[in-house]
Amino acid sequence: MTAHRHLRRTFSVLAGLLGLAYLFPLAWVVITSLKTDGEVLHAPDSVIFTPTLSTYAAVIQSGLGAILTSVVIAVLVTAAILLIGIPGAFALGHSFGGGWIRVVAVVLGILLVLQMVPQPMTIIPLYGILARWHILGTLFGLILADIALLLPFAMMLLRPYVLAIPQVIYEAARIDGASVVRAFLSITVPMLSNGIFIVMCVIFISSWGEFLYAINFLPQGATLPVSGLLAEQNSSYVAQWNRVMALAVLTSLPLLIVFLFTQRRLINGLSMGAVR
Amino acid sequence: MSATTTARGSTWTRTGSVGVRVRAFLETHPVGYLTPALLILAAFGVYPLIVLFQMAFSDVGPTNLIGTWDFVGWSNFASVLSSGQVWAALLRTVAVSAALLVSNLVLGFVVASILSVPSRITTTTLAIMVFIWALPPLVSANAWKFLLDTSGPVDAIFALFTQNQPQWLSSPTLALWTVTGVIAWAALPFSALILRGSMLAIPQDLIDAAAIDGARYWRTQLAIVMPLVKPTLWILSIFTLLYAFKSFDFFYIMTQGGPGVATNTLPVLTYYSAFSNFDMSTGATIAALSMVVVALLSIPYIRGIRREGTE
């Protein structure tokens, strides 16, 4: 069994190296965002410096509108997806009997196809459709597009949680005289709380990070969300890396917060939804 | 007479408010729960797909985007298929897919094996990797663009060993592989997590039996664990292919298809034909064609899964 112990030690070292390969870029982003303009320009690779929050102060001061836009988009998209997606997932996961299972199969197929379509490709017809319906260049149009982009994923992620609710509970409720609507509201929704939490986090993080629709569907000169601002930095030639990295940290802020508090729950939840 | 009025009256109060009527409908029609989702997805998910194909068969530019579109038959397809750029983009997309398949399946398997041995370091590494996977690609792409910048830390490390610095993102030959490497880095956590999940689900006595037989670790992994996680490997390879055909954010941030056209993959080419040249029809045609390729690619895989399922 010495070989085994030897292997274990090698694996620990390898796992550590792997962790560093993923931690280093993150650490570098944070370190750079704590430098001043001058330090980034003259000694970009230095790790010995006095960290300062001045870059954040500048970015937040000039980007307060952007943060507000991000909050509005992410909150509204998340709320709408939960409102639409929870009953939707219930319909796809609850056994209603009759020919309903065939409808479920068709809808699941459509959801899969919609998830497969690359975003840079749907954006082309969507641009035309939003223009024709006169909601191109409005926050409302952008939010609708975001909802449609993330809804299939939300429903697929939530469905296994609906399936996991034992049928017996519904039968007991029916015998007690509870209607289907009542069962949905007082059995399904409370029992889905874990799944709803995961979906809420994932959708909030995704809608906060979405930028392609934002930079194309919002009008020229509009207040972009933080993610859009970060994507636009791309086209400016003089890269102020400390600012870009501060924006990057702001773009990942919801994820950071969710992760710090609910790491284990998130990891388990995501792997459950992804495998099934 | 009075009986009918009371009956009508009671029906009126029962179905009078919209809320009550919806509730009654939901009691017997499960489709009611699905309707809001279906409406949104029909308008902003399925309908755009129809319009996409309509655009591919029409002449749509910036001037008539909101006007009438002239039907032009297959002529967009003819011009797209005779364009060397499109074929080059397809070849690049296939190359990226192949590289990602190797990375996600082979490296993914190795990393999952390493991370399925429990220790404190493993837990920490796993958490960091999941964090990276959940990070918006926009952020990790910007991070790597900075790391690989000429004044960045990667070049500083390379300067210790070699005089001629690799031109990570500005060399036409290297840029595609640099971005592919970054995409692989960002995609690996997902495949490792999924594979680790199905490895941990394997009954321990199967592995113990192999160990008693004196099989070495990696031999066990290959001869016993690998066949058992094969269904997961299948699903992962579909995910990977779809992911490769979707990969856009990293290219958009890191190279914008450049230098020149060196990193123009299908999604990148599609996007820029539509939104830089405002040639909506060409963009839509390339998009339609690449969706057909994706559909063709997924057929053998879906069959494979079916077979796995019935065995």
Side-chain angles (χ1 to χ4, degrees):
Chain A
M1 279 283 108
T2 46
H4 193 86
R5 204 170 301 146
H6 180 71
L7 195 78
R8 213 167 245 266
R9 204 180 307 140
T10 319
F11 274 17
S12 283
V13 173
L14 285 175
L17 287 176
L18 199 66
L20 284 181
Y22 279 86
L23 188 64
F24 175 69
L26 281 184
W28 203 255
V29 166
V30 176
I31 288 174
T32 307
S33 72
L34 295 173
K35 289 180 180 175
T36 63
D37 293 0
E39 282 162 345
V40 167
L41 206 63
H42 299 300
D45 296 332
S46 158
V47 280
I48 302 152
F49 65 101
T50 2
T52 161
L53 288 173
S54 64
T55 311
Y56 283 97
V59 164
I60 291 173
Q61 203 162 35
S62 64
L64 209 59
I67 296 172
L68 201 68
T69 312
S70 285
V71 170
V72 169
I73 294 174
V75 167
L76 289 180
V77 169
T78 309
I81 284 192
L82 289 180
L83 217 58
I84 299 169
I86 295 170
F90 172 65
L92 294 178
H94 186 68
S95 50
F96 282 102
W100 183 246
I101 195 147
R102 244 168 279 155
V103 180
V104 170
V106 173
V107 175
L108 285 180
I110 293 172
L111 290 183
L112 273 179
V113 170
L114 288 179
Q115 265 192 289
M116 273 166 53
V117 182
Q119 199 197 0
M121 301 186 177
T122 42
I123 194 172
I124 299 170
L126 213 45
Y127 191 83
I129 291 169
L130 292 179
R132 209 181 290 168
W133 291 349
H134 304 294
I135 45 175
L136 184 66
T138 65
L139 211 54
F140 179 65
L142 171 64
I143 288 172
L144 281 177
D146 277 353
I147 294 172
L149 176 74
L150 299 170
L151 186 59
F153 178 59
M155 284 167 75
M156 295 301 251
L157 200 57
L158 209 48
R159 188 172 169 262
Y161 290 93
V162 178
L163 291 173
I165 301 175
Q167 194 60 35
V168 200
I169 298 183
Y170 290 110
E171 270 157 32
R174 201 169 40 105
I175 290 165
D176 285 348
S179 63
V180 179
V181 180
R182 183 69 201 275
F184 168 65
L185 291 177
S186 37
I187 296 175
T188 317
V189 174
M191 289 194 77
L192 282 183
S193 60
N194 250 333
I196 291 173
F197 175 77
I198 298 289
V199 169
M200 193 180 78
C201 292
V202 171
I203 297 301
F204 193 91
I205 291 164
S206 315
S207 53
W208 185 279
E210 198 287 325
F211 72 96
L212 199 57
Y213 282 173
I215 58 176
N216 283 297
F217 293 163
L218 288 179
Q220 286 278 314
T223 315
L224 289 171
V226 179
S227 56
L229 222 52
L230 176 56
E232 295 278 88
Q233 298 294 316
N234 208 10
S235 35
S236 57
Y237 281 93
V238 192
Q240 281 182 299
W241 285 116
N242 53 340
R243 281 170 189 247
V244 178
M245 293 305 125
L247 274 174
V249 172
L250 285 182
T251 307
S252 16
L253 201 60
L255 174 66
L256 208 64
I257 294 168
V258 167
F259 213 79
L260 284 180
F261 290 105
T262 60
Q263 195 200 102
R264 179 165 302 228
R265 213 169 156 194
L266 194 71
I267 295 175
N268 293 343
L270 282 176
S271 41
M272 173 174 173
V275 176
R276 286 193 204 165
Chain B
M1 190 62 176
S2 67
T4 45
T5 33
T6 43
R8 204 181 278 164
S10 72
T11 326
W12 180 248
T13 46
R14 193 144 40 85
T15 57
S17 83
V18 180
V20 174
R21 220 184 285 181
V22 168
R23 232 185 135 118
F25 182 78
L26 285 177
E27 215 44 61
T28 43
H29 298 81
V31 76
Y33 296 91
L34 205 53
T35 308
L38 288 183
L39 286 178
I40 281 266
L41 291 178
F44 299 98
V46 179
Y47 180 55
L49 289 185
I50 299 168
V51 173
L52 182 75
F53 279 87
Q54 212 181 332
M55 276 177 159
F57 286 102
S58 314
D59 184 21
V60 189
T63 49
N64 66 336
L65 186 64
I66 318 183
T68 46
W69 300 346
D70 291 327
F71 179 76
V72 292
W74 292 93
S75 76
N76 287 328
F77 288 88
S79 66
V80 159
L81 286 177
S82 62
S83 147
Q85 267 208 46
V86 174
W87 289 103
L90 175 67
L91 200 67
R92 284 185 205 110
T93 315
V94 171
V96 172
S97 312
L100 286 182
L101 271 179
V102 172
S103 150
N104 269 353
L105 298 183
V106 179
L107 261 181
F109 189 84
V110 174
V111 168
S113 307
I114 291 173
L115 294 181
S116 57
V117 176
S119 78
R120 196 172 294 168
I121 297 177
T122 306
T123 322
T124 315
T125 299
L126 210 60
I128 298 170
M129 288 179 80
V130 172
F131 184 84
I132 293 287
W133 171 63
L135 208 60
L138 173 66
V139 173
S140 23
N142 264 302
W144 276 104
K145 193 183 177 193
F146 171 55
L147 289 170
L148 296 167
D149 191 63
T150 39
S151 63
V154 175
D155 275 14
I157 293 166
F158 262 75
L160 301 175
F161 303 105
T162 169
Q163 284 298 311
N164 39 359
Q165 291 281 355
Q167 301 290 308
W168 300 110
L169 293 170
S170 50
S171 142
T173 43
L174 191 59
L176 184 72
W177 301 111
T178 306
V179 181
T180 307
V182 173
I183 298 176
W185 173 86
L188 187 64
F190 176 71
S191 63
L193 187 74
I194 299 300
L195 279 171
R196 177 178 174 271
S198 61
M199 277 178 190
L200 292 181
I202 295 171
Q204 190 59 40
D205 42 338
L206 276 179
I207 292 161
D208 289 344
I212 288 164
D213 286 349
R216 294 294 201 95
Y217 180 79
W218 285 110
R219 236 193 95 83
T220 318
Q221 287 297 101
L222 280 182
I224 293 170
V225 174
M226 177 122 98
L228 287 172
V229 298
K230 220 165 116 194
T232 313
L233 288 171
W234 273 114
I235 295 171
L236 257 184
S237 39
I238 303 174
F239 281 1
T240 305
L241 278 180
L242 294 177
Y243 185 79
F245 270 80
K246 269 177 128 166
S247 287
F248 173 76
D249 298 7
F250 287 97
F251 289 105
Y252 180 79
I253 299 297
M254 295 180 78
T255 62
Q256 300 196 289
V261 292
T263 52
N264 256 354
T265 56
L266 282 176
V268 179
L269 183 65
T270 310
Y271 180 80
Y272 283 114
S273 341
F275 289 100
S276 282
N277 312 332
F278 274 98
D279 187 349
M280 292 293 187
S281 287
T282 306
T285 311
I286 305 170
L289 281 173
S290 41
M291 254 132 66
V292 171
V293 174
V294 170
L296 288 177
L297 280 177
S298 46
I299 288 173
Y301 285 101
I302 290 166
R303 275 205 188 145
I305 286 181
R306 282 240 177 103
R307 218 176 305 130
E308 293 283 346
T310 49
E311 256 169 24

